[in-house]
Structure formats: C-alpha cells, structure tokens
Amino acid sequence: MARPQSAAEFDKKKVVAENRRARFDYAVEQVFEAGIALQGTEVKSLRFGEGTIAESYAEVTGGEVWLINANIPEFSHGNRFNHEPRRPRKLLLNGREINKLHAGVMRQGMTIVPLSVYFNSRGRAKVELALAKGKKAHDKRESIKERDWKRDKQRLLKDRG
C-alpha cells in the first residue's frame, strides 16, 4: 500500500505559489501531492511565476477533487484562447487518496488546504495539498511563542557557540 510522502520528500524544482499562512492558520495532519489539470495558457502563466493560492481551498465533489478560488492570471500573449483566471481546476489523485480526503472532511471536520503549486523535475505542475484542522486563537499564540523561542535560542547559541 502506497503511503503519502512527507512534505520534504516531494521533488520540487520550481515553486510557483506558496500559501505561507496555511501552516499558521491550520494544524497540518497529512500532506498529499496532486497533479492539476490545466489549459495551455495556464501552464504558460505558471511558468512565468504568476499565480496565487492564498485564499484557495479544495473540495471533494462527485468522487473528484477540485481546487477552488486559485488565481492564475491570464497569459499576456493568449489572445482569444486565454483562460478564466479563477475557474475551478480538477486535481488528479488516485482513488485511495480521494477517499482519505473525503473521509477526513466528512467525519473529522477537516479542511483540504493547498500549501504550494510547483513544477517537479519532469516539468509537470503539481499541487501540495494538506488535510488540516483549523487552529484556535490560543493555538496560534502558542505557535508564535514557539517560533520566537526557536529564533532566540538560535541567536543565543550563535553568540556563545
């Protein structure tokens, strides 16, 4: 049985868009790598480094996973064949992964959050998805304290080391 890889194991060659706020707002439980079905002008826009996933999310409908509200701006030389910037995009996962995501959302009240969009070593556009649970305000304060303490600890070790 194939296991989902950890975030460090994905082969990221060129990161196009990153949702840095997601790890602060959500407690990430499990990370998945999904392909994304794109039109030609969308791929060209992503290759130029354009695109944002800050306010986007993913949902499971009809046995398929869709990326909602991701913004890939129109390609400058796309003329009439250009794409719609905020259209829903189908994510490509195998059945077992879709079932895990669906079960997490339905039973445990979790959310599917995109963490990054990137091109792998084969030149394919991929989305790093996380099955995550929303953090409460006190959890966010705790993570801020922990981050500040790590920074201070590194500074102290550097000065004395």
Side-chain angles (χ1 to χ4, degrees):
M1 181 163 110
R3 293 184 160 205
Q5 297 175 330
S6 71
E9 293 180 37
F10 294 141
D11 187 21
K12 296 182 181 181
K13 286 291 181 192
K14 179 184 177 190
V15 177
V16 177
E18 214 172 359
N19 190 354
R20 304 176 100 209
R21 186 119 180 116
R23 292 195 189 271
F24 179 73
D25 289 336
Y26 297 96
V28 175
E29 298 287 324
Q30 201 169 15
V31 179
F32 298 91
E33 180 181 42
I36 182 169
L38 297 172
Q39 295 176 354
T41 54
E42 290 174 324
V43 176
K44 290 180 180 187
S45 284
L46 284 178
R47 289 209 188 275
F48 278 115
E50 299 173 351
T52 56
I53 56 169
E55 298 127 16
S56 64
Y57 62 96
E59 66 179 22
V60 181
T61 52
E64 296 177 336
V65 182
W66 294 87
L67 183 64
I68 310 295
N69 207 24
N71 184 29
I72 300 175
E74 290 183 343
F75 183 56
S76 59
H77 304 302
N79 61 38
R80 66 180 182 178
F81 300 110
N82 247 330
H83 61 278
E84 185 182 327
R86 288 194 180 267
R87 74 175 182 89
R89 293 166 177 92
K90 185 176 178 182
L91 297 178
L92 309 171
L93 293 158
N94 67 36
R96 187 177 298 127
E97 292 173 332
I98 293 172
N99 290 338
K100 280 184 182 179
L101 291 171
H102 186 65
V105 169
M106 295 306 291
R107 291 192 198 117
Q108 300 162 358
M110 298 179 120
T111 308
I112 307 169
V113 181
L115 298 177
S116 64
V117 176
Y118 59 93
F119 287 98
N120 67 2
S121 59
R122 296 179 62 195
R124 308 261 192 236
K126 300 287 183 177
V127 178
E128 186 178 22
L129 291 176
L131 192 59
K133 192 167 240 160
K135 284 185 183 178
K136 305 278 192 258
H138 60 86
D139 293 332
K140 291 179 186 178
R141 284 193 298 269
E142 188 65 36
S143 62
I144 290 171
K145 284 181 192 174
E146 186 176 321
R147 183 181 64 210
D148 290 345
W149 167 241
K150 283 183 182 178
R151 187 182 309 126
D152 291 342
K153 186 169 66 172
Q154 287 296 326
R155 197 173 292 138
L156 288 171
L157 289 173
K158 180 182 167 189
D159 291 343
R160 294 188 182 172

